[in-house]
Amino acid sequence: MSDPTTPSAKEGIARLWSGEGFARHAPEPARSAIPRTLDIGYSDPSGDGRDGVFAPRTISAAKLTAGQYWTADGPRTAAEIDAQLGCGGAG
């Protein structure tokens, strides 16, 4: 997916297997085509980014509360994710 068109997509929120919120995306895969693991990558306009391998079954089983996001290390808030990545104006 690329070229986010909605506020949530511009914040990096993407619904798996849906092109919702993005101008360009691959067609929806057949049910049998969904792999056991996904390699998901992100790059920002500068070319910097991150990626990781995730199991859709693990993600769908995560119990998140309002304001939490799923990470490979378990549920995290935006502030916890920023602190982990060295974001938030530290310099």
Side-chain angles (χ1 to χ4, degrees):
M1 296 183 291
S2 63
D3 300 330
T5 59
T6 63
S8 60
K10 289 176 183 178
E11 291 179 18
I13 300 170
R15 183 175 178 196
L16 295 179
W17 303 288
S18 166
E20 183 180 320
F22 294 86
R24 290 186 284 178
H25 52 84
E28 185 175 335
R31 288 276 181 210
S32 62
I34 298 173
R36 290 184 193 175
T37 58
L38 296 172
D39 182 10
I40 299 173
Y42 166 81
S43 62
D44 65 25
S46 74
D48 290 335
R50 293 187 171 266
D51 71 321
V53 177
F54 306 97
R57 190 170 290 196
T58 302
I59 296 168
S60 67
K63 303 293 184 217
L64 302 176
T65 61
Q68 285 187 319
Y69 301 90
W70 186 87
T71 74
D73 298 322
R76 299 279 188 264
T77 64
E80 290 170 326
I81 293 168
D82 286 350
Q84 184 179 20
L85 300 175
C87 300

